[in-house]
Amino acid sequence: MDAKVWMYLAYLTVSIGLTVWVARALSRNGLVFLEDVFADKRLADAVNSLLVVGFYLLNLGYVTVAMKEADPVGDTSQALEQLSMKVGLVLLVLGALHFFNVFALGRYRRGRLRQQAAAHPPLAPVGYLPPQGGARPVNPAGPTPAQTPPVPPR
């Protein structure tokens, strides 16, 4: 076998190994983030599985498309240079996919939190302000309609 075939074999071994390692790490550690994003464990598990499948498809598809090397490989040093370029591109694709996913899920989470905050008032009313003339005694049973101060017009 010539140096180009060895370079292809090394490229596939390293790229597939990196893809599997990164997918497992993201799946395991990203599940906590997804549970917070979706506030539903079942949905987070399903999305996590779908993201892992999509990650494998995109990255392994890129690895196989980028495998072809048009230039001849003369010696081992040229093979290592081309191998490092290809593995570096795989790592950049892995990183770009990861940051895109985190960005998209973070935006979804912020929107969900804003909707939840808008649905509930920040604080529940706890009582009435005393009239301007001074303090009045507090009735433990709550104010009666006669004790409720009028609401000024706006």
Side-chain angles (χ1 to χ4, degrees), residues 33-114:
F33 177 70
L34 290 173
E35 286 174 358
D36 184 49
V37 167
F38 294 110
D40 180 1
K41 184 164 176 37
R42 247 181 87 211
L43 181 61
D45 286 336
V47 169
N48 194 28
S49 295
L50 292 172
L51 284 173
V52 168
V53 169
F55 181 81
Y56 277 127
L57 290 173
L58 281 172
N59 198 59
L60 293 176
Y62 174 78
V63 165
T64 56
V65 167
M67 188 170 104
K68 182 175 171 70
E69 181 60 48
D71 298 333
V73 178
D75 59 0
T76 308
S77 66
Q78 283 181 339
L80 287 174
E81 289 171 2
Q82 290 174 350
L83 176 65
S84 68
M85 177 64 93
K86 289 183 174 301
V87 171
L89 288 173
V90 168
L91 292 172
L92 288 173
V93 168
L94 284 169
L97 287 173
H98 170 67
F99 281 115
F100 173 75
N101 283 339
V102 170
F103 175 76
L105 291 169
R107 286 191 58 133
Y108 176 82
R109 179 180 177 266
R110 279 192 300 273
R112 184 181 57 80
L113 291 176
R114 268 193 226 115

